[in-house]
């Protein structure tokens, strides 16, 4: 009796979740902006280090990032910070608090930016399509979180940094910017916090990748010089697991 050979599905990768999530988020965001273009929204200008909101403050709106770079973070009672993400144009701030009366994290600007204030309850009640867009964006955020859980739980330090650079490059490209010339808005310490690495480890990883000719580093400016070489480093990590 012959046994039928069944191909084993490929193991999920960060790109499985984040790639589809980023592409879907880009489409949904464009659709959301089109939906809201004739709505009299309040636009809010913010500057570096300015809080958009803090955990525990009453939630009255969502914020659509129209320009700038932001971080979201959880703060423990004794002051420990865990950065949960870096947000840029098209991302929504406050999604994680939709079922709560207060915001559940801090949202802080990393440079000058502009936010569109979305009165969630009013838009939900008066614009049925709005809820569909929000649901799709929320689903994309969940998939993106899965991707980062996978990356942080299975990758070494070099691979985490490379994954972050690839993800950021992909997000930049979808906004019309160069995918090989990255201007980081966060500090090395903030990047390390997000990737669960120390400042010293992030610095050493960037130096190693530069020494191998894979990237060029000048302050917060990073150029991806050898994408294939970076992908090889990622594959080497996968082979070890």
């Amino acid at each position: 009796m012959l046994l039928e050979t069944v191909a084993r599905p490929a193991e999920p990768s960060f790109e499985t979740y984040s790639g589809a999530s980023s592409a879907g988020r880009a489409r949904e965001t464009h659709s959301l902006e089109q939906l809201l273009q004739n709505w009299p929204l309040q636009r809010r200008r913010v500057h570096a280090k300015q809080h958009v909101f803090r955990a525990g403050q009453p939630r009255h709106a969502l914020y659509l990032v129209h320009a700038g770079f932001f971080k979201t973070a959880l703060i423990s009672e004794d002051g420990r910070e865990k950065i949960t993400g870096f947000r840029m144009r098209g991302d929504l701030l406050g999604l994680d608090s939709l079922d709560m009366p207060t915001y559940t994290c801090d949202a802080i600007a990393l440079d000058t930016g502009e936010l569109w204030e979305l009165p969630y309850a009013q838009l939900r009640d008066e614009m049925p399509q709005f809820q569909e867009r929000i649901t799709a964006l929320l689903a994309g955020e969940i998939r993106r979180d899965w991707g980062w859980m996978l990356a942080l739980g299975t990758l070494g330090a070099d691979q985490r940094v490379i994954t972050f650079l690839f993800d950021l490059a992909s997000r930049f490209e979808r906004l019309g910017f160069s995918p090989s010339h990255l201007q980081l808005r966060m500090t090395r310490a903030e990047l390390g916090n997000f990737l669960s690495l120390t400042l010293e480890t992030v610095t050493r990883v960037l130096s190693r990748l530069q020494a191998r000719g894979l990237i060029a580093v000048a302050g917060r400016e990073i150029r991806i010089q050898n994408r294939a070489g970076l992908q090889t480093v990622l594959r080497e990590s996968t082979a070890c697991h």
Side-chain angles (χ1 to χ4, degrees):
M1 179 177 180
L2 296 177
L3 295 178
E4 190 175 295
T5 300
V6 179
R8 183 183 179 187
E11 292 294 327
S13 65
F14 177 83
E15 290 76 14
T16 303
Y17 302 112
S18 69
S21 174
S22 295
R25 187 171 60 251
R27 289 192 299 271
E28 291 300 332
T29 297
H30 179 69
S31 180
L32 180 60
E33 289 184 347
Q34 285 186 320
L35 185 67
L36 298 172
Q37 62 183 353
N38 295 321
W39 193 275
L41 296 174
Q42 181 176 345
R43 300 194 178 198
R44 179 176 168 185
R45 188 84 166 170
V46 294
H47 302 283
K49 299 183 180 181
Q50 181 178 344
H51 275 77
V52 180
F53 51 74
R54 298 176 187 269
Q57 287 184 340
R59 179 187 62 78
H60 65 277
L62 300 178
Y63 294 92
L64 178 64
V65 178
H66 185 65
F69 214 90
F70 299 78
K71 71 174 180 179
T72 50
L74 299 173
I75 309 295
S76 68
E77 291 185 359
D78 59 359
R80 289 174 290 112
E81 178 187 62
K82 175 57 183 176
I83 295 174
T84 59
F86 297 106
R87 317 297 178 179
M88 51 199 300
R89 181 170 183 175
D91 290 330
L92 273 173
L93 304 178
L95 265 182
D96 53 333
S97 306
L98 278 183
D99 64 336
M100 303 286 289
T102 60
Y103 293 109
T104 57
C105 69
D106 289 11
I108 306 161
L110 296 179
D111 63 354
T112 300
E114 180 182 298
L115 299 166
W116 292 5
E117 186 172 317
L118 311 184
Y120 174 73
Q122 182 181 1
L123 288 169
R124 178 198 59 202
D125 295 341
E126 299 182 20
M127 190 181 294
Q129 309 97 308
F130 176 74
Q131 185 61 48
E132 295 176 10
R133 304 294 193 279
I134 294 299
T135 300
L137 287 167
L138 184 57
E141 284 296 310
I142 292 172
R143 290 191 296 272
R144 185 174 183 79
D145 286 347
W146 285 354
W148 279 115
M149 287 172 63
L150 178 66
L152 298 184
T154 61
L155 297 180
D158 289 34
Q159 290 74 29
R160 293 185 203 181
V161 172
I162 292 172
T163 297
F164 177 82
L165 295 178
F166 279 171
D167 178 57
L168 188 61
S170 175
R171 296 169 74 186
F172 275 12
E173 186 173 26
R174 289 192 174 94
L175 292 176
F177 300 112
S178 169
S180 59
H181 180 192
L182 310 179
Q183 185 69 39
L184 304 187
R185 301 302 182 186
M186 74 291 295
T187 65
R188 300 280 196 275
E190 288 169 330
L191 176 55
N193 184 297
F194 175 66
L195 296 176
S196 296
L197 300 172
T198 64
L199 165 63
E200 294 76 15
T201 298
V202 171
T203 301
R204 285 195 298 268
V205 169
L206 292 175
S207 296
R208 275 198 300 270
L209 297 178
Q210 179 168 240
R212 295 176 63 176
L214 303 178
I215 63 174
V217 182
R220 294 194 187 183
E221 181 181 324
I222 295 180
R223 287 185 178 273
I224 296 177
Q225 295 185 308
N226 186 343
R227 177 175 289 270
L230 292 172
Q231 290 171 334
T232 297
V233 176
L234 280 178
R235 286 194 295 269
E236 290 170 353
S237 171
T238 304
C240 292
H241 284 83

